């Protein structure tokens, strides 16, 4: 399985490098810059197998933007990467069956993730790595596994088998942690301290499909965020969200990584209950939350749960709102986003709450 993760990593990094050259849009989200004349510092790199961009307004904008990129790179290499042998997640996976001492950041993150797992009834599960490796969607070995293979991989999935105690983390033999669904949101949270310490006035930090809007928009208006059309091209938008300061936005969709066979689309978002790509009637979910970790985890969980089952779960998290796009191209927003989303794409309709 480790070999299959390595193959997936090479494919993902190659895709990220191509994207870095093109840098036209962020995956899933666009931020419209009405403040280009405000002398913001902008820097980009690749980390977490995606494009990372920091746009910072403040007295030390250039240095702050670089500090943000360095923090995200270090977070990946030291804590979250399943591929870098320096990271906690890598060490946990390669010591499966034995406890591993990890740094306090990784430990506390996993504690928080287990709370989210319980509140989403396991729709988000960080122990899904065996299934991710089996399907390898977006990697060189993507395929439809047979029922026996899926059943076997499901036996290695289960957040209740993840043990945390006294700074140690232990998974069962055969298990693999996969924090790909939350790493980008976690990165958005981690750079808050950097922005505060450097006295940044405002910032837009994008890590793939996750976005941090730090401080007030220098233009004096709400931040304007474009949501990608899940059935359009990479430059096409579904519509625009108008949201306030200090919020994180994450989108999960079936257009991000997928393959098609016999007219069926198999996306990379797997249902931990079935071991197969999620089939909930949704094609895209966007979550807005004060927490990047929550926005990222819940965009995955809600995609798995579907629109109706997601609503009571979202009610557990204060300040969290969502935008759903169903397979029949109906768009739903939660009450806190009413009047804050403008639908612009053809072929979609707004659904009634």
């Amino acid at each position: 399985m480790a070999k299959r993760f390595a193959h997936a990593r090479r494919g993902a990094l190659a895709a990220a490098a191509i994207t870095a050259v093109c840098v036209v849009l962020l995956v899933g989200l666009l931020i419209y810059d009405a403040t280009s004349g405000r002398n913001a510092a902008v820097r980009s790199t690749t980390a977490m197998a995606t494009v990372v961009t920091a746009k910072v307004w403040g007295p030390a904008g250039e240095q702050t933007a670089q500090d943000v990129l360095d923090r995200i790179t270090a977070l990946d290499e030291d804590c979250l990467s399943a591929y870098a042998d320096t990271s906690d997640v890598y060490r946990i996976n390669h010591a499966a069956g034995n406890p591993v001492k990890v740094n306090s950041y990784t430990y506390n993150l996993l504690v928080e993730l287990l709370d989210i797992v319980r509140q989403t009834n396991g729709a988000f599960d960080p122990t899904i790595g065996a299934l991710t490796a089996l399907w390898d969607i977006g990697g060189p070995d993507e395929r439809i596994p047979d029922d026996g293979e899926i059943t076997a991989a499901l036996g290695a999935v289960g957040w209740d088998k993840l043990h945390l105690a006294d700074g140690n983390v232990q998974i069962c033999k055969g298990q693999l942690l996969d924090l790909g669904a939350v790493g980008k949101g976690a990165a958005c949270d981690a750079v808050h301290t950097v922005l505060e310490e450097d006295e940044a006035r405002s910032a837009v930090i994008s890590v793939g499909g996750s976005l941090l809007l730090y401080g007030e928009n220098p233009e004096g208006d709400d931040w304007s965020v474009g949501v990608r059309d899940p059935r359009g091209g990479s430059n096409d938008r579904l519509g625009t969200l108008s949201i306030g300061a200090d919020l994180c936005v994450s989108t999960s969709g079936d257009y991000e990584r997928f393959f098609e066979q016999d007219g069926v689309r198999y996306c990379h978002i797997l249902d931990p209950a079935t071991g197969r790509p999620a089939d909930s009637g949704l094609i895209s979910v966007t979550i807005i939350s004060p927490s990047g970790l929550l926005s990222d985890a819940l965009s995955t969980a809600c995609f798995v749960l579907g629109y109706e089952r997601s609503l009571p779960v979202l009610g557990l998290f204060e300040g969290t709102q969502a935008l759903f796009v169903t397979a029949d191209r109906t768009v739903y927003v939660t009450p806190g986003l009413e009047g804050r989303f403008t639908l612009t794409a053809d072929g979609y309709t707004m659904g009634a709450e």
Side-chain angles (χ1 to χ4, degrees):
M1 285 185 185
K3 183 183 291 186
R4 302 192 73 183
F5 264 120
H7 285 314
R9 181 201 183 199
R10 287 195 292 270
L13 289 177
I18 293 170
T19 308
V21 173
C22 297
V23 189
V24 179
L25 298 175
L26 307 177
V27 177
L29 295 169
L30 315 171
I31 182 72
Y32 298 106
D33 180 16
T35 58
S36 57
R38 299 281 178 156
N39 299 318
V42 182
R43 291 198 178 185
S44 296
T45 189
T46 54
M48 297 186 170
T50 192
V51 178
V52 179
T53 301
K55 184 169 188 174
V56 179
W57 292 263
E62 291 286 347
Q63 185 59 55
T64 302
Q66 187 59 52
D67 289 345
V68 165
L69 300 186
D70 291 346
R71 176 72 179 99
I72 293 173
T73 299
L75 183 67
D76 190 32
E77 294 176 350
D78 296 343
C79 302
L80 303 181
S81 174
Y83 320 111
D85 60 11
T86 54
S87 84
D88 285 336
V89 168
Y90 179 95
R91 294 190 301 113
I92 293 166
N93 284 343
H94 284 75
N98 298 295
V100 175
K101 189 74 173 181
V102 299
N103 69 47
S104 59
Y105 174 86
T106 304
Y107 188 85
N108 292 332
L109 179 70
L110 288 172
V111 170
E112 189 171 355
L113 284 179
L114 286 183
D115 285 338
I116 297 172
V117 170
R118 295 183 187 98
Q119 290 168 303
T120 62
N121 299 313
F124 165 77
D125 190 328
T127 69
I128 203 170
L131 284 167
T132 304
L134 179 64
W135 284 84
D136 195 33
I137 296 175
D141 300 320
E142 62 186 13
R143 64 188 179 91
I144 303 173
D146 63 39
D147 291 346
E149 291 176 302
I150 292 172
T151 298
L154 276 171
V157 176
W159 59 271
D160 55 328
K161 303 172 186 174
L162 172 61
H163 299 291
L164 308 174
D166 302 321
N168 291 289
V169 180
Q170 181 175 348
I171 59 176
C172 295
K173 288 185 178 181
Q175 274 196 316
L176 289 171
L177 284 183
D178 181 358
L179 302 188
V182 295
K184 298 170 182 63
C188 289
D189 290 335
V191 300
H192 255 282
T193 301
V194 174
L195 295 168
E196 291 170 352
E197 289 177 349
D198 286 5
E199 299 181 347
R201 291 192 295 271
S202 304
V204 177
I205 311 300
S206 65
V207 190
S210 292
L211 192 70
L212 165 64
L213 305 173
Y214 177 86
E216 301 290 341
N217 185 338
E219 194 71 9
D221 301 321
D222 284 341
W223 293 103
S224 184
V225 178
V227 180
R228 177 171 164 173
D229 180 348
R231 289 296 178 263
S234 60
N235 292 335
D236 296 328
R237 62 182 183 271
L238 176 73
T240 306
L241 280 166
S242 178
I243 59 178
D246 297 320
L247 290 171
C248 294
V249 187
S250 295
T251 292
S252 292
D254 69 354
Y255 57 86
E256 296 172 303
R257 295 199 310 275
F258 68 93
F259 68 91
E260 292 185 349
Q261 185 169 317
D262 299 326
V264 179
R265 179 183 297 229
Y266 297 89
C267 78
H268 76 291
I269 304 172
L270 303 178
D271 185 341
T274 66
R276 302 174 184 277
D279 184 17
S280 66
L282 295 175
I283 59 175
S284 177
V285 179
T286 298
I287 302 290
I288 299 93
S289 173
S291 162
L293 185 66
L294 265 181
S295 69
D296 217 357
L298 289 178
S299 69
T300 297
C302 290
F303 191 94
V304 170
L305 289 169
Y307 173 62
E308 295 290 347
R309 293 171 62 202
S310 293
L311 297 180
V313 171
L314 290 171
L316 301 174
F317 301 97
E318 184 176 356
T320 297
Q321 303 295 331
L323 181 150
F324 302 90
V325 186
T326 65
D328 66 0
R329 302 198 180 197
T330 303
V331 180
Y332 296 93
V333 297
T334 50
L337 293 182
E338 290 180 1
R340 290 186 168 273
F341 177 70
T342 303
L343 177 64
T344 57
D346 294 332
Y348 294 87
T349 59
M350 293 297 299
E353 181 63 31

